[in-house]
Coordinates of all heavy atoms in Angstrom, one line a residue:
V98 N 200.0 85.6 113.3 CA 201.3 85.4 112.7 C 201.2 86.1 111.4 O 200.4 85.8 110.5 CB 201.7 84.0 112.5 CG1 203.0 83.9 111.8 CG2 201.7 83.2 113.9
Q99 N 202.1 87.1 111.1 CA 202.1 87.8 109.9 C 203.0 87.3 108.8 O 202.8 87.5 107.6 CB 202.6 89.3 110.2 CG 201.7 90.1 111.1 CD 202.2 91.5 111.3 OE1 203.3 91.7 111.8 NE2 201.4 92.4 110.8
G100 N 203.9 86.4 109.2 CA 204.9 85.9 108.2 C 206.0 86.9 107.9 O 206.7 86.8 107.0
H101 N 206.2 87.9 108.9 CA 207.3 88.9 108.8 C 208.3 88.6 109.8 O 208.0 88.8 111.0 CB 206.7 90.3 108.9 CG 205.6 90.6 107.9 ND1 204.7 91.6 108.1 CD2 205.3 90.0 106.8 CE1 203.9 91.7 107.1 NE2 204.2 90.7 106.2
V102 N 209.4 88.0 109.5 CA 210.4 87.6 110.4 C 211.1 88.8 111.1 O 211.5 89.7 110.4 CB 211.4 86.7 109.8 CG1 212.6 86.4 110.7 CG2 210.8 85.4 109.3
D103 N 211.1 88.8 112.4 CA 211.8 89.9 113.2 C 213.3 89.6 113.4 O 214.0 90.6 113.7 CB 211.1 90.0 114.6 CG 209.6 90.5 114.5 OD1 209.4 91.5 113.9 OD2 208.8 89.7 114.9
G104 N 213.7 88.4 113.2 CA 215.1 88.1 113.4 C 215.3 86.6 113.5 O 214.4 85.9 113.3
T105 N 216.5 86.2 113.6 CA 216.8 84.8 113.7 C 217.4 84.5 115.1 O 218.0 85.4 115.7 CB 217.8 84.3 112.6 OG1 219.0 85.1 112.7 CG2 217.2 84.5 111.2
G106 N 217.2 83.3 115.5 CA 217.8 82.8 116.7 C 218.7 81.6 116.5 O 218.6 81.0 115.4
R107 N 219.5 81.2 117.4 CA 220.3 80.0 117.3 C 220.0 79.1 118.4 O 220.0 79.4 119.5 CB 221.8 80.4 117.2 CG 222.7 79.2 116.9 CD 224.2 79.7 116.8 NE 224.3 80.7 115.7 CZ 224.6 80.3 114.4 NH1 224.6 79.0 114.1 NH2 224.7 81.3 113.5
V108 N 219.7 77.8 118.0 CA 219.5 76.8 119.0 C 220.7 76.6 119.9 O 221.8 76.3 119.4 CB 219.0 75.5 118.4 CG1 218.8 74.4 119.5 CG2 217.7 75.7 117.6
L109 N 220.5 76.7 121.2 CA 221.7 76.6 122.2 C 221.7 75.2 122.8 O 222.8 74.6 123.0 CB 221.5 77.6 123.3 CG 221.5 79.1 122.9 CD1 221.3 80.0 124.1 CD2 222.8 79.4 122.2
S110 N 220.5 74.6 123.0 CA 220.5 73.2 123.6 C 219.2 72.6 123.3 O 218.1 73.3 123.1 CB 220.7 73.3 125.1 OG 219.7 74.0 125.8
V111 N 219.2 71.3 123.2 CA 218.0 70.4 123.1 C 218.0 69.4 124.2 O 218.9 68.6 124.2 CB 218.0 69.8 121.7 CG1 216.8 68.9 121.5 CG2 218.1 70.8 120.5
S112 N 217.0 69.4 125.0 CA 216.9 68.6 126.2 C 215.7 67.7 126.2 O 214.6 68.1 126.6 CB 217.0 69.4 127.5 OG 218.1 70.3 127.5
P113 N 215.8 66.5 125.7 CA 214.7 65.5 125.6 C 214.3 65.0 127.0 O 215.2 64.8 127.8 CB 215.2 64.4 124.7 CG 216.5 64.9 124.0 CD 217.0 65.9 125.0
S114 N 213.0 64.8 127.2 CA 212.6 64.0 128.4 C 211.6 63.0 127.9 O 211.4 62.8 126.7 CB 211.9 65.0 129.4 OG 210.7 65.6 128.8
E115 N 210.9 62.3 128.8 CA 210.0 61.2 128.4 C 208.9 61.7 127.5 O 208.5 61.0 126.5 CB 209.5 60.5 129.6 CG 208.7 59.3 129.3 CD 208.2 58.5 130.5 OE1 208.6 59.0 131.7 OE2 207.4 57.6 130.4
N116 N 208.3 62.9 127.8 CA 207.1 63.3 127.2 C 207.2 64.6 126.4 O 206.2 64.9 125.7 CB 205.9 63.4 128.2 CG 205.6 62.1 128.8 OD1 205.3 61.1 128.2 ND2 205.6 62.0 130.1
W117 N 208.3 65.2 126.5 CA 208.4 66.5 125.7 C 209.9 66.8 125.6 O 210.8 66.1 126.2 CB 207.7 67.6 126.3 CG 208.2 68.1 127.7 CD1 209.2 68.9 127.9 CD2 207.7 67.7 128.9 NE1 209.4 69.1 129.3 CE2 208.5 68.3 129.9 CE3 206.7 66.8 129.4 CZ2 208.3 68.2 131.3 CZ3 206.5 66.6 130.7 CH2 207.3 67.3 131.7
T118 N 210.3 67.7 124.8 CA 211.6 68.2 124.6 C 211.7 69.7 124.8 O 210.9 70.5 124.3 CB 212.1 67.8 123.2 OG1 212.2 66.4 123.0 CG2 213.5 68.5 122.9
V119 N 212.7 70.1 125.6 CA 212.9 71.6 125.9 C 214.0 72.1 124.9 O 215.1 71.5 125.0 CB 213.2 71.8 127.4 CG1 213.5 73.3 127.6 CG2 212.1 71.4 128.2
V120 N 213.7 73.1 124.2 CA 214.7 73.7 123.3 C 215.0 75.1 123.8 O 214.1 75.9 124.0 CB 214.2 73.7 121.8 CG1 215.2 74.4 120.9 CG2 213.9 72.3 121.4
R121 N 216.3 75.4 124.0 CA 216.7 76.7 124.4 C 217.3 77.4 123.2 O 218.1 76.8 122.4 CB 217.7 76.7 125.5 CG 218.2 78.1 125.9 CD 219.1 78.0 127.1 NE 218.4 77.7 128.3 CZ 218.9 77.7 129.6 NH1 220.1 78.1 129.8 NH2 218.1 77.4 130.6
I122 N 216.8 78.6 122.9 CA 217.2 79.4 121.7 C 217.8 80.7 122.1 O 217.1 81.5 122.9 CB 216.0 79.6 120.8 CG1 215.4 78.2 120.3 CG2 216.4 80.5 119.6 CD1 214.1 78.3 119.6
G123 N 218.9 81.0 121.6 CA 219.5 82.4 121.8 C 218.8 83.4 121.0 O 218.5 83.1 119.8
V124 N 218.5 84.5 121.5 CA 217.6 85.6 120.9 C 218.4 86.9 120.8 O 219.1 87.2 121.7 CB 216.3 85.7 121.6 CG1 216.5 86.1 123.0 CG2 215.4 86.6 120.8
P125 N 218.3 87.6 119.7 CA 218.9 88.9 119.7 C 218.3 89.8 120.8 O 217.1 89.8 121.1 CB 218.4 89.5 118.3 CG 218.2 88.3 117.5 CD 217.6 87.3 118.4
A126 N 219.2 90.6 121.4 CA 218.9 91.4 122.5 C 217.7 92.4 122.2 O 216.8 92.6 123.1 CB 220.1 92.2 123.0
K127 N 217.6 92.8 121.0 CA 216.6 93.8 120.6 C 215.1 93.2 120.7 O 214.1 93.9 120.7 CB 216.8 94.3 119.2 CG 216.7 93.3 118.1 CD 216.9 93.9 116.7 CE 216.8 92.8 115.6 NZ 217.0 93.4 114.3
L128 N 215.1 91.8 120.7 CA 213.7 91.2 120.7 C 213.3 90.7 122.1 O 212.1 90.3 122.3 CB 213.7 89.9 119.8 CG 214.0 90.2 118.3 CD1 213.9 88.9 117.5 CD2 213.0 91.2 117.7
T129 N 214.2 90.8 123.0 CA 213.9 90.3 124.4 C 212.7 91.0 125.1 O 212.0 90.4 125.8 CB 215.1 90.3 125.3 OG1 215.6 91.7 125.4 CG2 216.2 89.4 124.8
R130 N 212.5 92.3 124.8 CA 211.5 93.0 125.4 C 210.1 92.5 125.0 O 209.1 92.8 125.6 CB 211.6 94.5 125.1 CG 211.5 94.9 123.6 CD 211.7 96.4 123.5 NE 211.6 96.9 122.1 CZ 212.6 96.9 121.3 NH1 213.8 96.5 121.6 NH2 212.4 97.4 120.1
Y131 N 210.0 91.7 123.9 CA 208.7 91.2 123.5 C 208.5 89.8 124.0 O 207.4 89.2 123.7 CB 208.7 91.2 121.9 CG 208.9 92.5 121.3 CD1 210.0 92.7 120.5 CD2 208.1 93.6 121.4 CE1 210.3 93.9 119.9 CE2 208.3 94.8 120.8 CZ 209.4 94.9 120.1 OH 209.6 96.2 119.4
L132 N 209.4 89.2 124.8 CA 209.3 87.9 125.2 C 208.8 87.9 126.7 O 209.4 88.5 127.5 CB 210.6 87.1 125.1 CG 211.1 87.0 123.7 CD1 212.5 86.3 123.8 CD2 210.2 86.2 122.8
V133 N 207.7 87.2 127.0 CA 207.3 87.0 128.3 C 207.0 85.5 128.5 O 206.5 84.8 127.6 CB 206.0 87.8 128.7 CG1 206.3 89.3 128.6 CG2 204.9 87.5 127.7
E134 N 207.2 85.0 129.7 CA 206.9 83.6 130.0 C 205.4 83.4 129.8 O 204.5 84.2 130.3 CB 207.2 83.3 131.5 CG 207.2 81.8 131.8 CD 207.8 81.5 133.2 OE1 208.8 82.2 133.6 OE2 207.2 80.6 133.8
K135 N 205.0 82.3 129.2 CA 203.7 81.9 128.8 C 203.1 82.8 127.6 O 202.0 82.7 127.3 CB 202.7 82.0 130.0 CG 203.2 81.1 131.2 CD 203.5 79.7 130.8 CE 204.0 78.9 132.0 NZ 204.5 77.6 131.6
G136 N 204.0 83.7 127.1 CA 203.5 84.4 125.9 C 203.7 83.6 124.6 O 204.3 82.5 124.6
S137 N 203.4 84.2 123.5 CA 203.5 83.5 122.2 C 204.7 83.9 121.4 O 205.1 85.1 121.5 CB 202.2 83.8 121.4 OG 201.0 83.3 122.0
I138 N 205.2 83.0 120.7 CA 206.3 83.3 119.7 C 206.2 82.3 118.6 O 205.7 81.2 118.7 CB 207.7 83.2 120.4 CG1 208.7 83.8 119.4 CG2 208.0 81.8 120.8 CD1 210.1 84.1 120.0
T139 N 206.7 82.7 117.4 CA 206.7 81.9 116.2 C 208.1 81.5 115.9 O 209.0 82.4 115.7 CB 206.1 82.6 115.0 OG1 204.8 83.0 115.3 CG2 205.9 81.6 113.9
V140 N 208.4 80.2 115.9 CA 209.7 79.7 115.6 C 209.6 78.9 114.3 O 208.9 77.8 114.3 CB 210.3 78.8 116.7 CG1 211.7 78.3 116.4 CG2 210.3 79.6 118.1
D141 N 210.3 79.3 113.3 CA 210.2 78.6 112.0 C 208.8 78.4 111.5 O 208.4 77.3 111.0 CB 211.0 77.3 112.0 CG 212.4 77.5 111.5 OD1 212.8 78.6 111.1 OD2 213.2 76.5 111.4
G142 N 207.9 79.4 111.9 CA 206.5 79.3 111.4 C 205.6 78.5 112.3 O 204.4 78.3 112.1
V143 N 206.1 78.0 113.5 CA 205.3 77.2 114.4 C 204.9 78.1 115.6 O 205.8 78.7 116.3 CB 206.1 76.0 115.0 CG1 205.2 75.2 115.9 CG2 206.7 75.2 113.8
S144 N 203.6 78.2 115.9 CA 203.1 79.0 117.0 C 203.4 78.2 118.3 O 203.0 77.0 118.5 CB 201.6 79.2 116.9 OG 201.1 79.8 118.1
L145 N 204.2 78.8 119.2 CA 204.6 78.1 120.4 C 204.5 79.1 121.6 O 204.4 80.3 121.5 CB 206.1 77.7 120.3 CG 206.3 76.7 119.2 CD1 207.8 76.6 118.9 CD2 205.8 75.3 119.6
T146 N 204.5 78.4 122.8 CA 204.4 79.2 124.1 C 205.8 79.2 124.7 O 206.5 78.2 124.8 CB 203.4 78.5 125.0 OG1 202.1 78.4 124.5 CG2 203.4 79.2 126.4
V147 N 206.2 80.5 125.1 CA 207.5 80.6 125.8 C 207.4 80.0 127.1 O 206.5 80.4 127.9 CB 207.8 82.1 125.8 CG1 209.1 82.3 126.6 CG2 208.0 82.8 124.5
S148 N 208.3 79.1 127.5 CA 208.2 78.4 128.8 C 209.2 79.0 129.8 O 209.0 78.8 131.0 CB 208.4 76.9 128.6 OG 209.6 76.6 128.0

Side-chain angles (χ1 to χ4, degrees):
V98 177
Q99 296 181 298
H101 302 159
V102 171
D103 293 301
T105 58
R107 188 175 297 273
V108 175
L109 302 177
S110 64
V111 179
S112 304
S114 64
E115 183 177 356
N116 296 305
W117 67 84
T118 294
V119 176
V120 179
R121 177 173 291 189
I122 300 173
V124 61
K127 66 180 181 180
L128 298 182
T129 57
R130 62 184 182 271
Y131 303 116
L132 299 178
V133 294
E134 191 172 325
K135 306 307 178 187
S137 297
I138 190 166
T139 308
V140 179
D141 265 1
V143 184
S144 173
L145 295 164
T146 300
V147 176
S148 57

